[in-house]
Amino acid sequence: MSDKLIIFDTTLRDGEQSPGASMTKDEKIRIARQLERLKVDVIEAGFASSSNGDFETIHAISGIIKDATVCSLARANDRDISRAAEALKPAASSRLHIFLATSPLHMEKKLRMTPDEVYEQARRSIRFARNLTDNIEFSPEDGYRSDMDFLCKVLEAVIAEGATTINFPDTVGCGVPELYGHAIKTLRERIPNSDKAIWSVHCHNDLGMAVANSLAGVKIGGARQVECTINGLGERAGNTSLEEIVMAVKTRKDYFGLEVGIDTAQIVPSSRLVSQITGFLVQPNKAVVGANAFAHASGIHQDGVLKARDTYEIMRAEDVGWANNKIVLGKLSGRNAFKQRLQELGITLESEAEINAAFSRFKELADQKAEIFDEDIIAIVGNEPAEHDAEEFRFVSLAQNSATGERPHARVVFSMGGKEVTGEADGNGPVDATLNAIESKVVSGAEQLLYSVNAITTGTQAQGEVTVRLSKAGRIVNGVGTDPDIVAASAKAYLAALNKLDDKSFKLNPQAI
């Protein structure tokens, strides 16, 4: 077996299935570029047949990414497979990822097909795909709950037809590490042509064991590909966490004996970017990328680390991208210094217009707070619309007043369809009044599912990052806004969410289909 572990990132496909995590085309392209900097082996860019937006995004990413294989998911039918292949045409390296459910429950209740029908459809789909590409992955959906004899029969057939990667999904996250690992081992031992394919793991985190199951699949089962997402993003309880898999394999190379090609210094920047774009915050005690991952509060621990770092740290913070660097630039700071810091942070802006817009926002922020941290710059760039974006709603200004014993009132000026409008309303608090003022003019009828606030840096001068999640007509979207004024950040976040609701290219939330 190879000693290289392939990292297959599905943040843009499976990760996006988290309610509210839907991303725009430009946001997905930004994440894909960062995944390329991270040096993942395979980027699953989307599900081409799920929407025109996904098709266009996969096509765009395929034309941009040069150092990773770009992949599209497809159901086991000719239309889906053809659509995925068309979307992947510009890619320097591409893969078709075909799936078909094989568990008794899924075949009977979801597919309404007999095992024989599923077997034949699996064979036909790979045979058809083989005419379009020689890089084909097959996933028996709900494979872990499938009958072993039937699964062996199906997987032997698809390998014979030309599947080059076999994925073994724990679709509902019910696996237990030892049992999951031995299930893959059994499949590889029983299927005569199993050595003709690379074996892969895809685990969900419903019982909190996605990473453990994936590592068991690698160590016990001999899998050489792990499907994972940044921050473990994904529907329900999420997917296998890329950063945890990579650092487990690298830190415990004595046990796993495997190599990974990931540039680990890009892990934290990748985590921050995905969190900022999706609005899904990283818990402070999250392994590797949480704010407390390398923090020591105990006096005994602090003393030990000061004497010898490895007394309490098994990884170096800087190796995964943590840094204490801060940029202290003010009104008189130049554009070149700003550009230099963008490069150091791994941020790529495509045009001079985008750089100028980001620098302008940087100068505005420098007027409001004394020190600008790296996190501030990431937020500045992340919240700057692409040059060609035509936003229906855009924040202009805000005035609000509140006093103890009086009902807060807000007056918000924003553009709607290219024209400035002014909304006024009362509310239970300044934020409620502000959002009510916007809604008084927009009349979106959207349901608010989430409102959360996060301080980007420390101190009372910190920018506030607000996430607003809205739902309407089967779409669930997040809007993120940043500003030193938390009420203004709330208005920006609400308007950003409304822009996504207004974007008809957004696919329906998978749970609503």
Side-chain angles (χ1 to χ4, degrees):
M1 290 186 297
S2 168
D3 63 355
K4 165 74 185 294
L5 185 64
I6 298 167
I7 301 299
F8 177 113
D9 183 276
T10 184
T11 302
L12 299 177
R13 200 279 298 171
D14 207 345
E16 195 195 24
Q17 291 183 202
S18 298
S22 289
M23 299 166 243
T24 66
K25 177 180 173 181
D26 288 315
E27 288 170 342
K28 285 189 172 185
I29 289 172
R30 286 181 58 209
I31 291 176
R33 288 185 185 278
Q34 179 57 34
L35 292 174
E36 187 174 36
R37 283 191 286 270
L38 182 61
K39 296 185 178 178
V40 303
D41 300 288
V42 183
I43 299 172
E44 189 165 51
F47 187 172
S49 67
S50 66
S51 71
N52 290 333
D54 246 26
F55 177 90
E56 291 168 4
T57 299
I58 295 166
H59 193 269
I61 290 173
S62 295
I64 293 169
I65 299 302
K66 304 302 179 189
D67 298 329
T69 295
V70 182
C71 175
S72 174
L73 189 68
R75 288 168 295 197
N77 63 64
D78 293 359
R79 179 190 173 279
D80 267 31
I81 294 167
S82 297
R83 186 78 167 153
E86 183 68 24
L88 292 167
K89 267 190 177 179
S93 173
S94 65
R95 176 185 295 182
L96 289 173
H97 183 187
I98 298 165
F99 74 99
L100 183 64
T102 54
S103 71
L105 181 63
H106 278 226
M107 288 190 292
E108 178 187 353
K109 301 296 184 182
K110 188 180 78 171
L111 299 181
R112 302 189 187 280
M113 294 171 65
T114 66
D116 286 343
E117 288 172 332
V118 168
Y119 172 76
E120 288 300 329
Q121 183 165 329
R123 290 184 60 198
R124 285 196 304 269
S125 67
I126 303 301
R127 191 180 307 147
F128 179 78
R130 192 66 181 80
N131 295 319
L132 301 172
T133 181
D134 58 1
N135 192 341
I136 303 168
E137 177 171 338
F138 179 78
S139 288
E141 187 185 9
D142 206 20
Y144 185 68
R145 295 194 297 177
S146 299
D147 175 77
M148 183 60 73
D149 291 337
F150 178 65
L151 198 54
C152 286
K153 178 182 176 182
V154 171
L155 296 183
E156 181 182 355
V158 298
I159 294 172
E161 293 290 352
T164 51
T165 300
I166 297 297
N167 184 42
F168 184 57
D170 180 16
T171 302
V172 295
C174 68
V176 176
E178 185 177 7
L179 299 179
Y180 179 78
H182 279 291
I184 299 176
K185 186 172 185 285
T186 299
L187 287 169
R188 293 183 59 243
E189 289 172 346
R190 286 186 53 182
I191 297 172
N193 56 0
S194 65
D195 61 328
K196 305 299 182 186
I198 294 169
W199 287 74
S200 173
V201 292
H202 180 117
C203 299
H204 282 264
N205 205 39
D206 297 72
L207 294 178
M209 291 189 280
V211 170
N213 286 333
S214 296
L215 291 174
V218 169
K219 183 64 178 178
I220 300 172
R224 287 298 178 264
Q225 175 177 283
V226 177
E227 303 196 358
C228 45
T229 62
I230 302 296
N231 300 334
L233 186 70
E235 59 184 323
R236 303 191 314 276
N239 287 276
T240 300
S241 168
L242 179 147
E243 55 276 5
E244 294 176 26
I245 288 289
V246 168
M247 294 314 296
V249 171
K250 287 184 72 71
T251 303
R252 294 306 310 273
K253 188 176 179 181
D254 60 314
Y255 178 73
F256 291 104
L258 296 172
E259 300 287 343
V260 290
I262 295 295
D263 179 358
T264 60
Q266 292 296 326
I267 285 177
V268 169
S270 301
S271 170
R272 286 174 173 171
L273 179 64
V274 170
S275 177
Q276 191 275 325
I277 284 176
T278 63
F280 280 66
L281 303 180
V282 176
Q283 67 194 60
N285 62 332
K286 171 79 164 64
V288 184
V289 294
N292 294 347
F294 295 90
H296 301 278
S298 164
I300 294 173
H301 287 209
Q302 291 171 345
D303 179 62
V305 169
L306 289 172
K307 290 174 178 174
R309 180 185 240 180
D310 56 0
T311 55
Y312 287 103
E313 288 187 0
I314 59 171
M315 300 173 280
R316 298 195 315 162
E318 55 267 36
D319 287 346
V320 297
W322 286 107
N324 293 320
N325 295 334
K326 63 183 179 181
I327 183 166
V328 184
L329 298 176
K331 305 175 196 177
L332 303 180
S333 299
R335 185 172 174 276
N336 286 337
F338 179 72
K339 286 180 66 176
Q340 176 64 30
R341 193 65 192 129
L342 289 179
Q343 292 175 6
E344 291 171 1
L345 290 171
I347 297 171
T348 303
L349 297 179
E350 298 305 310
S351 67
E352 286 299 308
E354 288 180 313
I355 294 173
N356 291 338
F359 182 62
S360 176
R361 294 190 66 189
F362 166 78
K363 298 285 270 189
E364 290 175 9
L365 183 60
D367 283 334
Q368 300 176 62
K369 56 179 298 193
E371 286 187 328
I372 308 297
F373 293 85
D374 291 350
E375 293 86 349
D376 291 315
I377 294 179
I378 292 169
I380 285 169
V381 175
N383 284 281
E384 183 65 30
E387 184 180 354
H388 56 275
D389 278 357
E391 293 186 303
E392 176 70 13
F393 308 103
R394 194 175 179 93
F395 177 79
V396 177
S397 65
L398 163 71
Q400 62 85 22
N401 53 69
S402 60
T404 304
E406 295 184 12
R407 191 162 172 78
H409 181 83
R411 179 177 182 273
V412 184
V413 180
F414 60 98
S415 64
M416 184 167 66
K419 297 181 180 179
E420 284 194 6
V421 297
T422 301
E424 295 194 46
D426 294 338
N428 291 332
V431 170
D432 187 46
T434 298
L435 302 194
N436 288 344
I438 295 172
E439 191 61 31
S440 70
K441 291 297 181 182
V442 175
V443 196
S444 70
E447 178 187 3
Q448 189 177 141
L449 302 180
L450 172 75
Y451 173 85
S452 69
V453 180
N454 177 50
I456 290 177
T457 55
T458 58
T460 56
Q461 284 193 347
Q463 283 196 98
E465 183 178 68
V466 173
T467 300
V468 172
R469 185 174 300 158
L470 300 179
S471 173
K472 183 181 179 183
R475 287 183 171 83
I476 300 177
V477 298
N478 280 339
V480 180
T482 59
D483 198 280
D485 181 339
I486 210 68
V487 182
S490 301
K492 291 176 180 179
Y494 195 78
L495 291 168
L498 290 174
N499 277 320
K500 289 185 178 181
L501 279 181
D502 186 65
D503 185 350
K504 303 308 179 193
S505 68
F506 265 66
K507 61 186 178 186
L508 288 174
N509 182 53
Q511 284 81 0
I513 297 177

